Amino acid sequence: MTMKLTVLALATTTLLAACGGSDGTDYNTLDGQPPLVVGHRGAAGYRPDHTLEGYKLAIEMGADFIEPDLVATKDGELIARHEPNITGTTDVASRPEFASRKTTRMVDGVAETGWFATDFTLAEIKTLRAIQPLAERDASYNGKFSIPTLKEVLDLAKSESTRVGRTIGVYPETKHPTYHVNAGLKLEDRLLAVLAGYGYTQKSSPVIIQSFEVSNLKYLRTKTQVRLSQLIDGDDVALGGQVTLAAPFDKPYDFAVAGDKRNFITMLTPAGLAEIKTYADGIGPWKPYLISSKAVDANGDGKADDVNKDGVVDERDRTMLPATSVLKDAHAAGLVVHPFTFRNEAKRLASDFKGDPAAEYKLFFELGVDAVFSDFPDTAVKARAAMDN
């Protein structure tokens, strides 16, 4: 097993440091190599979020990393779900045996009603099935796939690495760390114990841990050399393109608890990025922080106009703005930049892209992002390949 892990670690180093285009394409990434493609929640555009089947599809589509969001069960097992509230991503609401578990809990200062992973044992979670959380996406796989543990995701990544002949990395996110601390189910030591069981303790390990909070990343840095990434969120995008902030999307929730006045925008200043560099290897910003878009308000009512006259106001009514300095500043601080989330649906693409998601990837790849989180990893991989042609 030790020899296999050594080979895997070496392969990961090759992937991250020497996977450049064979034709000598120059990239504006931190290391000059091609950007990585992260299968966001697996292949979320095609399968329900966070299932082994979705992760495997992402790998088959060419993703370099797969991303399991992690929450804890009542008995302390780490499972892959987007939130502690599992109402929208599982069939729990239709299961009469769990009707009495419906409750209201505070998550990052917001009251949420539903069913929570922290009220279920792993054995109970394993009786549930995943469902597609977005109404506009394919629901034909609802009820077919189980909820995986972190160990099952890591096992899949290892076996698929062997099968496809390339290293598949795992990019776990610790979801709502403060919520889990308050529930008596702190995530970080549990995560490190699982990773150590696979020999993943070094910077060369095929793992990157991410979080929207800060104190848990600082804690992790004292315990492991595995790469860490600071996530940066926002609430909305104003008419002029500025990212707006509103709780709980204005700052890391541990900042809110501590009364820290800093927010996500201040974290992206040169001084904020220098602070992040003291404990993390990169940032995962919401993509409007890098390149945003503006809307039209011709009638002055404070609301975006339906520019294309299709009866709805969405991204198709916005136009892209010049890039901000965030990526340049992050690279200057020695941080990699992995923005989220890239999607194919036309309503999620600004008018500049004319409904072609590859055009959006091209813009961000030319800017120099070091990775992209994509719901449609096949599209991201094809767009990256086109950069080499």
Side-chain angles (χ1 to χ4, degrees):
M1 182 175 180
T2 301
M3 182 177 294
K4 289 182 179 179
L5 290 173
T6 301
V7 171
L8 191 59
L10 289 172
T12 301
T13 302
T14 300
L15 169 67
L16 294 173
C19 63
S22 58
D23 64 352
T25 301
D26 292 327
Y27 291 88
N28 295 320
T29 51
L30 185 60
D31 63 2
Q33 302 303 320
L36 300 170
V37 172
V38 182
H40 184 240
R41 307 180 200 171
Y46 302 101
R47 299 289 187 273
D49 296 358
H50 299 302
T51 63
L52 293 179
E53 291 78 7
Y55 295 132
K56 186 174 181 180
L57 179 60
I59 293 165
E60 291 172 349
M61 289 178 165
D64 304 297
F65 278 76
I66 52 176
E67 184 217 22
D69 295 330
L70 300 179
V71 302
T73 63
K74 183 178 181 178
D75 46 351
E77 295 292 333
L78 297 181
I79 61 170
R81 286 293 88 191
H82 183 243
E83 299 287 337
N85 188 337
I86 59 175
T87 308
T89 61
T90 73
D91 61 358
V92 67
S94 66
R95 303 292 288 273
E97 66 270 33
F98 297 128
S100 64
R101 304 283 180 91
K102 188 176 184 180
T103 189
T104 299
R105 297 199 180 282
M106 298 298 292
V107 181
D108 289 5
V110 178
E112 294 186 12
T113 298
W115 288 261
F116 293 81
T118 44
D119 294 325
F120 290 75
T121 65
L122 178 60
E124 290 171 330
I125 289 288
K126 282 297 187 179
T127 69
L128 302 176
R129 293 296 177 265
I131 62 172
Q132 171 59 251
L134 297 182
E136 68 267 27
R137 290 183 174 171
D138 184 5
S140 65
Y141 294 93
N142 285 1
K144 295 185 177 181
F145 307 139
S146 64
I147 313 305
T149 64
L150 172 60
K151 292 176 183 178
E152 289 173 323
V153 177
L154 291 169
D155 286 341
L156 176 74
K158 284 187 63 180
S159 63
E160 286 295 289
S161 295
T162 299
R163 185 180 70 86
V164 302
R166 57 188 178 87
T167 301
I168 306 302
V170 179
Y171 209 134
E173 178 185 346
T174 56
K175 297 297 294 192
H176 304 285
T178 295
Y179 168 89
H180 283 91
V181 168
N182 292 339
L185 292 164
K186 183 179 176 180
L187 298 173
E188 290 70 33
D189 291 325
R190 289 178 168 85
L191 171 57
L192 293 179
V194 172
L195 293 178
Y198 290 77
Y200 299 158
T201 60
Q202 301 301 315
K203 189 171 184 177
S204 59
S205 300
V207 174
I208 305 173
I209 302 172
Q210 57 182 332
S211 179
F212 283 107
E213 294 192 22
V214 173
S215 56
N216 70 315
L217 288 177
K218 289 185 174 181
Y219 174 79
L220 285 166
R221 177 49 71 227
T222 68
K223 299 293 184 179
T224 182
Q225 291 305 306
V226 167
R227 286 161 292 167
L228 306 177
S229 181
Q230 177 67 64
L231 293 171
I232 304 291
D233 213 346
D235 179 63
D236 203 350
V237 179
L239 291 170
Q242 305 90 341
V243 174
T244 61
L245 301 177
F249 307 109
D250 57 335
K251 62 177 62 179
Y253 187 61
D254 53 331
F255 279 15
V257 171
D260 193 320
K261 295 186 181 300
R262 290 176 295 170
N263 57 40
F264 284 125
I265 291 177
T266 60
M267 291 175 72
L268 291 178
T269 63
L273 292 166
E275 165 68 14
I276 291 173
K277 180 59 178 175
T278 65
Y279 62 87
D281 302 279
I283 59 171
W286 188 29
K287 61 187 180 183
Y289 281 113
L290 304 182
I291 313 177
S292 192
S293 62
K294 64 180 180 179
V296 174
D297 178 22
N299 60 9
D301 66 355
K303 299 179 181 178
D305 296 342
D306 179 14
V307 175
N308 63 4
K309 307 299 182 184
D310 64 353
V312 295
V313 176
D314 54 29
E315 294 299 312
R316 290 171 289 194
D317 299 299
R318 302 180 70 95
T319 56
M320 297 301 288
L321 292 165
T324 70
S325 67
V326 168
L327 182 135
K328 180 180 69 174
D329 293 341
H331 279 179
L335 296 164
V336 294
V337 181
H338 298 172
F340 65 91
T341 302
F342 291 78
R343 300 180 168 104
N344 281 16
E345 290 92 353
K347 71 177 184 178
R348 304 181 191 278
L349 298 168
S351 60
D352 309 62
F353 305 129
K354 298 180 173 58
D356 179 12
E360 183 183 35
Y361 286 112
K362 183 174 186 290
L363 180 65
F364 280 83
F365 287 159
E366 288 177 343
L367 180 65
V369 298
D370 302 281
V372 292
F373 284 85
S374 176
D375 282 3
F376 299 84
D378 54 339
T379 305
V381 169
K382 289 176 183 176
R384 181 177 62 184
M387 298 289 289
D388 289 335
N389 296 330

